């Protein structure tokens, strides 16, 4: 049921503060300000992690790599599920592999799960459908409590995957004695604030709706980000191409000069995902390289970032958050921009051409 919304995607975007809140409540022990560790997983004895997934779920895994490496000092080996096996990565018996899948039925992710299992690994899955094949075939299931996601373009499942993985990375950091109790308190506190910040971020919708009219006339678009904003840029580009059919690419901001800058002219909008954090200055200098070539910059940042960055074609100001949780917040303007561009162009938002909600062939 779409309720009062025109599309399932719109409803699912709007539900995020609530479902991310439920997901966090499940994975955090809020009374004691700790992240929970799932039964059977002992992070203290693991020396690395393998993560695999497809599409948007893969981008959640890419964000999680930064978190596990920083907070738990665990090297993360990550690849898209359709390539993971072909690399023949050396996997350790007893090691932990994490599969991420909304549907729990994605053929490539399931094949990777089985490959990891044959190598003697333990399997944990971050999954939105507890009765799915991937969930049933896993040793531990970390549920995302997004509720049914109907729109083919994943939105709320993605932010719930991020919430789950963020809590797990904090739990791993504690188990491995990398994080102190104060560190954990601070990180859990940052997570608890996310639903409120998401509600604030959703208020950007009217501004994004106006911006989408400009986007609808573009043939190509670029998305740039650094650090955890890099996978968010990839996700933004994927959302736009899936539902509006505009060609979009996400790049690490630092890669701009190594090729994609050749594409910049007045007709190419460039979305720059740049929270005011330690990486901000460098990303803004990449943004200025775009502006110097006449590119139309849409900057997504917070209040401080907007002041420092100066004039742009358009600046979307999201609420200030801890750098740790910014991927969960910045995902929302990505979704809204793709959504309103597609609505303006009149495409079938919930059922885009050539795509299926779950991809059950390899
Ligand atoms: O059900 P899964 O999470 O395993 O699906 C993975 C991808 O097929 C999925 O995220 C796809 O990329 C979406 N259409 C993205 O919006």
């Amino acid at each position: 049921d779409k309720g009062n919304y025109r599309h399932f995607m719109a409803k699912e975007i709007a539900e995020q503060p609530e479902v991310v809140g439920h997901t966090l409540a499940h994975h955090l022990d809020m009374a004691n300000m700790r992240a929970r560790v799932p039964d059977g997983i002992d992070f203290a004895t693991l020396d690395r992690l393998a993560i695999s997934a497809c599409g948007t779920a893969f981008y959640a895994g890419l964000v999680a790599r930064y978190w596990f490496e920083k907070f738990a000092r665990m090297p993360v080996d990550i690849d898209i599920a359709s390539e993971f096996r072909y690399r023949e990565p050396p996997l350790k018996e007893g090691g932990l592999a994490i599969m991420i899948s909304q549907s729990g039925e994605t053929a490539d992710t399931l094949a990777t799960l089985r490959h990891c299992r044959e190598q003697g690994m333990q399997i944990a899955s971050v999954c939105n459908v507890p009765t799915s094949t991937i969930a049933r075939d896993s040793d531990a299931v970390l549920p995302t409590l997004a509720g049914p996601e109907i729109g083919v373009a994943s939105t709320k499942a993605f932010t719930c995957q991020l919430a789950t993985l963020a809590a797990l990375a904090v739990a791993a950091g504690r188990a491995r004695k990398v994080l102190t109790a104060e560190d954990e308190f601070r990180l859990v506190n940052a997570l608890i604030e996310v639903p409120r910040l998401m509600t604030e971020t959703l208020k950007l919708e009217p501004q994004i709706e106006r911006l989408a009219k400009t986007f609808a006339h573009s043939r190509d678009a670029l998305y740039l980000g650094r650090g955890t904003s890099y996978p968010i840029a990839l996700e933004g580009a994927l959302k736009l191409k899936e539902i509006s059919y505009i060609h979009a690419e996400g790049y690490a901001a630092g890669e701009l000069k190594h090729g994609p800058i050749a594409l910049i002219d007045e007709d190419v909008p460039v979305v720059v995902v740049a929270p005011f954090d330690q990486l901000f200055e460098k990303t803004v200098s990449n943004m200025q390289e775009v502006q110097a070539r006449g590119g139309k910059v849409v900057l997504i940042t917070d209040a401080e970032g907007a002041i420092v960055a100066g004039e742009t074609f358009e600046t979307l100001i999201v609420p200030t958050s801890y750098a740790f949780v910014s991927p969960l917040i910045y995902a929302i303007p990505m979704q809204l921009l793709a959504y309103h561009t597609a609505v303006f162009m009149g495409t079938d938002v919930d059922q885009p051409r050539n795509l299926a909600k779950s991809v059950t062939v390899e």
Side-chain angles (χ1 to χ4, degrees), residues 104-138:
E105 302 298 344
T106 301
D108 284 313
T109 311
L110 183 58
T112 303
L113 182 158
R114 292 188 170 144
H115 173 80
C116 291
R117 159 97 62 224
E118 275 158 26
Q119 310 288 308
M121 297 188 85
Q122 286 179 271
I123 315 290
S125 60
V126 174
C127 199
N128 200 42
V129 181
T131 52
S132 64
T133 314
I134 289 175
R136 280 187 282 113
D137 282 10
S138 300

Side-chain angles (χ1 to χ4, degrees), residues 63-64 66-67 70-71 162 166 170 186-191 193-194 197 226-232 273-280 301-302 304 318-331:
V63 173
Y66 290 85
W67 291 334
K70 177 170 180 172
F71 300 135
L162 291 176
V170 172
R186 196 172 35 83
L187 295 170
V188 169
N189 197 40
L191 284 170
E193 280 187 26
V194 165
L197 297 174
R226 253 174 212 273
T228 54
S229 298
Y230 165 45
I232 298 304
V273 184
F276 191 70
D277 58 15
Q278 287 170 329
L279 308 176
F280 181 79
T301 188
D302 45 36
E304 272 189 279
V318 304
T320 303
S321 64
Y322 288 97
F324 164 42
V325 299
S326 61
L328 288 113
I329 310 301
Y330 285 71

Side-chain angles (χ1 to χ4, degrees), residues 54-57 101-103 106 152-154 238-239 242 359:
C54 301
T56 288
S101 176
Q102 186 286 127
S103 62
T106 301
V152 164
S154 186
L238 178 65
K239 281 302 78 108
E242 276 191 296
V359 181

